[in-house]
Amino acid sequence: MRKLSIMILLLLSLSFVLAACGTKEESDKSNGADTKNDLLAKVKENGKLVVGTEGTYPPFSYHDDNGKLTGFDVEISEEVAKRLGVKAEFKETQWDAMFAGLDAKRFDMIANQVGINDERKEKYSFSDPYISSSAVLIARSDSDVKSFEDIKGLKAAQSLTSNYGEMAKSYGAELVGVDGFNQSAELLNSKRVDVTINDKLSFLDYKKQKPNAKIEIVDSADDVSQSGLMFRKDNDTLVDAVNKALKEMIDDGTYTKISEKWFGENVLK
């Protein structure tokens, strides 16, 4: 009988020990000790948010005359990292290799005006939109062109393989091939073409650099494209923290200040 009592006491003691261990383990997890798969916890532990960007894509990320990496996306990322309590560390990568770099965990986030679309959302997570833009029709300030319907039979400076070129063609314009927006603007200014259809942000950047250029937006497409900061899937804690930082930036005016510095206006509205 005595042996049985001792055995029962031993079993009870073991049960209390196991229960205590289980409670401690659950407590450790709830307090963030189990951070193996939590990217936000790793970011904070390392003290840095690693950001993938091109570094050759003005005004979003590029090197200034002194060789310093700068741009709209660079400043947005630095401010987000600051609000997470860490530093932003940039890894420059060609666009064609950028998504693969994120997949390979070379960086935690991409900041490079990445458009949000259904195909990308199947594989990646995005922050709330931080850039909005649309296709715009640009003409000389003295032009009679006022809408997309007016460009039938006119010369449009366009990249021949772009969606904007297809759009100009759909309205009956004659395409004149160019390499980029700056060349389109030069042809407009010299009256060798009548119009160009392009991204609104490209126009705003050009006017920021050349405010006296006699070209202007005369019409805007209804469809608005949005860009977000991009992450690997299943990193919700980091995405949520970045969204919180972006909202704070918008609410306290920091976002508007950065946007006006680079584009002359708020590019989220």
Side-chain angles (χ1 to χ4, degrees), residues 115-135:
I116 302 171
N117 60 40
D118 291 338
E119 182 180 355
R120 288 172 181 159
K121 284 166 67 176
E122 286 182 6
K123 185 172 182 182
Y124 300 99
S125 293
F126 282 90
S127 70
D128 294 334
Y130 74 110
I131 298 173
S132 294
S133 189
S134 59

Side-chain angles (χ1 to χ4, degrees), residues 10-250:
L10 287 172
L11 288 172
L12 287 172
S13 298
L14 182 59
S15 298
F16 285 130
V17 170
L18 290 174
C21 288
T23 302
K24 183 180 186 302
E25 183 178 343
E26 291 173 3
S27 176
D28 287 345
K29 287 183 178 181
S30 66
N31 288 327
D34 185 17
T35 60
K36 183 178 179 181
N37 297 313
D38 189 338
L39 184 55
L40 176 61
K42 290 180 181 179
V43 165
K44 292 192 172 185
E45 181 180 347
N46 294 333
K48 62 184 180 182
L49 176 68
V50 183
V51 183
T53 194
E54 280 186 88
T56 56
Y57 182 37
F60 295 96
S61 71
Y62 68 102
H63 291 265
D64 63 18
D65 293 339
N66 296 317
K68 180 185 177 183
L69 184 66
T70 188
F72 176 75
D73 273 329
V74 172
E75 290 200 15
I76 290 291
S77 299
E78 288 175 337
E79 184 64 28
V80 165
K82 177 182 174 183
R83 292 173 188 244
L84 296 182
V86 299
K87 296 284 188 181
E89 177 183 298
F90 296 93
K91 288 192 179 295
E92 296 176 44
T93 308
Q94 292 181 342
W95 172 255
D96 291 343
M98 195 165 294
F99 289 13
L102 184 64
D103 294 340
K105 300 184 179 181
R106 289 189 58 229
F107 23 81
D108 307 313
M109 170 181 101
I110 290 176
N112 205 79
Q113 200 206 3
V114 183
I116 302 171
N117 60 40
D118 291 338
E119 182 180 355
R120 288 172 181 159
K121 284 166 67 176
E122 286 182 6
K123 185 172 182 182
Y124 300 99
S125 293
F126 282 90
S127 70
D128 294 334
Y130 74 110
I131 298 173
S132 294
S133 189
S134 59
V136 293
L137 177 63
I138 301 159
R140 288 186 299 277
S141 301
D142 61 357
S143 174
D144 292 330
V145 175
K146 300 301 177 188
S147 71
F148 289 105
E149 287 75 15
D150 294 338
I151 70 174
K152 184 176 181 180
L154 301 183
K155 292 183 177 180
Q158 307 292 158
S159 171
L160 299 181
T161 59
S162 71
N163 291 336
Y164 300 127
E166 290 298 319
M167 187 175 180
K169 192 188 298 184
S170 73
Y171 282 104
E174 176 189 341
L175 302 192
V176 176
V178 296
D179 294 327
F181 181 80
N182 284 356
Q183 189 179 357
S184 297
E186 289 171 9
L187 293 179
L188 265 177
N189 286 321
S190 62
K191 298 186 178 182
R192 284 180 284 174
V193 299
D194 304 295
V195 296
T196 184
I197 297 175
N198 217 293
D199 180 78
K200 181 181 179 181
L201 298 184
S202 297
F203 172 80
L204 292 177
D205 178 50
Y206 180 84
K207 287 291 281 187
K208 189 78 168 50
Q209 307 303 322
K210 299 184 178 182
N212 296 322
K214 303 299 183 182
I215 61 174
E216 62 185 37
I217 294 173
V218 296
D219 200 3
S220 298
D222 292 332
D223 293 340
V224 175
S225 61
Q226 294 182 314
S227 300
L229 303 169
M230 197 171 84
F231 309 82
R232 291 183 297 278
K233 284 280 192 182
D234 301 321
N235 287 302
D236 293 344
T237 55
L238 180 58
V239 177
D240 290 345
V242 169
N243 281 338
K244 182 174 182 290
L246 286 172
K247 184 178 186 306
E248 290 173 352
M249 290 164 60
I250 293 166

